Amino acid sequence: SQFLELNHVMTMVSSQIRRKIIMYYNECPFCGCNLDPGERCECRDEKEKKKRKFEDLLTISSDGQIVLKEAVA
């Protein structure tokens, strides 16, 4: 009987503690990644790196075609 009462009290306390613990995170508006508070998502940085890499490798020829810069030289 005392065990059941103690178990009931512990269950009530446990559920009250769980309700008070609020886990929170931020979500990146661009890729939906879950971020810790204060953390910055790198998705746009990666996109910019890829864009610059392609710009460094490619050029537009006189006839409007996209070609490798090595092929033009």
Side-chain angles (χ1 to χ4, degrees):
S1 176
Q2 283 182 328
F3 176 75
L4 291 176
E5 287 179 30
L6 181 60
N7 190 24
H8 179 69
V9 169
M10 293 298 289
T11 302
M12 288 177 53
V13 169
S14 176
S15 66
Q16 288 174 353
I17 291 172
R18 276 184 276 166
R19 277 190 235 129
K20 289 186 179 185
I21 296 174
I22 299 172
M23 298 197 57
Y24 63 98
Y25 59 92
N26 297 318
E27 186 174 299
C28 176
F30 302 102
C31 70
C33 180
N34 294 332
L35 305 167
D36 292 330
E39 184 180 10
R40 186 175 174 271
C41 188
E42 298 174 352
C43 69
R44 291 182 25 193
D45 295 340
E46 291 297 320
K47 187 175 181 179
E48 285 298 316
K49 282 182 190 177
K50 287 179 184 178
K51 182 179 176 183
R52 280 192 300 262
K53 184 176 180 180
F54 279 104
E55 287 173 351
D56 290 344
L57 294 172
L58 303 174
T59 189
I60 299 176
S61 67
S62 59
D63 62 354
Q65 297 293 316
I66 297 174
V67 294
L68 288 171
K69 285 186 178 180
E70 294 176 1
V72 174

